[in-house]
Amino acid sequence: MNPWVMLAFPFAQHAFLAASFVAAAAGWIGFYVVLRGTAFAAHALPKIGFAGASGALLLGVNSLFGVSLYSAVAALGIGALAERDRRDVATALVLALGLGTGALFLSLGNLYAEDAMSLLFGQVVGVSALGVMETACVSAAAVLVVAAFHRVLLFTSVAREAAAVRGASNRIADWALLVGLGLATSAMMPVVGALLSFSLLVGPALAARHLVRRPWQAILTSVTLSLAVTWLSLFLSFALGWPVGFFVACLSALAYAIARAASRIFDRRPLEGMA
Amino acid sequence: MTLGWIQEALASAPVQHALVAGSEIAFLSGLVGAFVILRGQSFAGHVLTDVGTTGGAGAYLVGLNGWFGFLSFGVIASVGMELAGGRTRGERDLATGVVLSLALGFGALFLYLDAQLAHANASMAVLFGSLFTLDPALVPWISSLAAVCAAAMLLIWRPLALASVNPELARVRGVPVRAMSIAFMVVLAVAVETDALVAGSLLATALIVGPAAAAARFVSNPLRAGVAAGVLGAAIVVASVLLSYDSYNWLPQHTSWPVSFFVAALAFLAYVVPAAARRFGVRRMAEVTEA
């Protein structure tokens, strides 16, 4: 179908609006994810959110509520377990438990194939006007959390020892990022789906890191790229009828590949001249 | 309460196949898992499951058994990840992440096309496991592959442990560190991708990391930790299969609870309960000494 024609319909407009809020939040938070190298947590939280959404479907409550609750508990769980054990082990275990309960909810609710697919890969055309409002609020909250801790997040990532001496706690930074990620996940899940939220978090931000040096420039570039990737993906998805997530993943990877090649050609090194 | 249902379960052929294949692969997973934890490769292990999703979904699309898709994609990805490398763990994780998201994108497309072409159950089998519908012809293949991989691990565990903990020292001692990590990644891929049959590609990580993390709390020698984790993993799978079989009668609407749920829940319990018990025990001891 012609995507320009589709844009006249309210459902397509809602989809574009919701996806834009989500993309901006993902690009912003992705900057910190890349800076701190917490790819695993960024990958795990959306998947756990999927379990929360299937639980909400089973009980018949708002899926945003289920995703938020599950992401929040998972973020706290990962944070708490990581204080006693290795972070990646803690993340893997919480992820497995979350997904296990998700599988149970799906089978108990007889929600198989179709519902699971839309949760995993996004159901962007199903967003209502109220859904757009919810998405906007949660995305804004996610950005506010990380923005409030911007200096701590930056300082503890770039110069951990110096930050410790000056009293900036790495633990607080970790928690802030996990909470921000959890919130962003709740906003992203219904739109791009659990499996591909991760692409949007990491791809544009990694690309931005190869293109510019200063933190604020990197955040702006990352947000811009993320928006561009999302809009183009929605457009292609409307035109071809294939899942949005597929295009999001391919275009994010493409953005990263191009940025990396460009930084090679112009011989710029990521974020090293900054400190 | 009688235990007649266990006999009844054991008499059924799909349950027998599930128990045999599942416990063997769980043993291998525990063994490999101990080294995954030692080497800090939980994320790599998890990535392999996601890449496997793409392979499994692709295999259904062209009409092959999902296992071949899981396995081929997993092995290729594992070698690729090892060769791509990276200077620090964070950077390696991020580079891995981009490849992963690309693979997931294609997985999404394949699953979508699977659903369009009326293999509606294929996507659920790929994502959530298909232990009870295992093709009996595959059981001997899975068994022998698991046995070969376990034997290989037992053969190389000592130099592998050294190369994992202290690569420089290993190199001085003449251990081929690079070849060692590639070999390990291939074995990891076999274990992870066959777990995907048991618990689904979403949950294969549970069997790798869960039992091994639990064992690592009590045993420090990597081989002993691996064997303990393997036995624990096999026990978890056996219990999960039986519980899933019995769960049909638990709720009035008669739905079997998925094997993957029990695997994940038991693996998590195996990790958390000993830790909690130990902490509680230590506190009690401290109170006694103070008194």
Side-chain angles (χ1 to χ4, degrees), chain A residues 124-149:
Chain A
V124 72
V125 292
V127 187
S128 63
L130 182 67
V132 174
M133 283 298 293
E134 288 174 348
T135 311
C137 292
V138 180
S139 308
V143 169
L144 276 180
V145 168
V146 286
F149 289 91

Side-chain angles (χ1 to χ4, degrees), chain B residues 16-45:
Chain B
Q16 287 168 2
H17 292 143
L19 285 175
V20 170
S23 56
E24 277 170 351
I25 200 64
F27 180 79
L28 175 64
S29 300
L31 191 60
V32 172
F35 287 88
V36 168
I37 289 187
L38 192 65
R39 299 164 65 85
Q41 285 183 321
S42 302
F43 189 42

Side-chain angles (χ1 to χ4, degrees), chain B residues 21 65-68 133-145 197:
Chain B
N65 188 295
W67 191 46
F68 298 111
T133 51
L134 199 61
D135 182 358
L138 275 185
V139 174
W141 287 99
I142 293 176
S143 306
S144 36
L145 193 60
L197 286 182

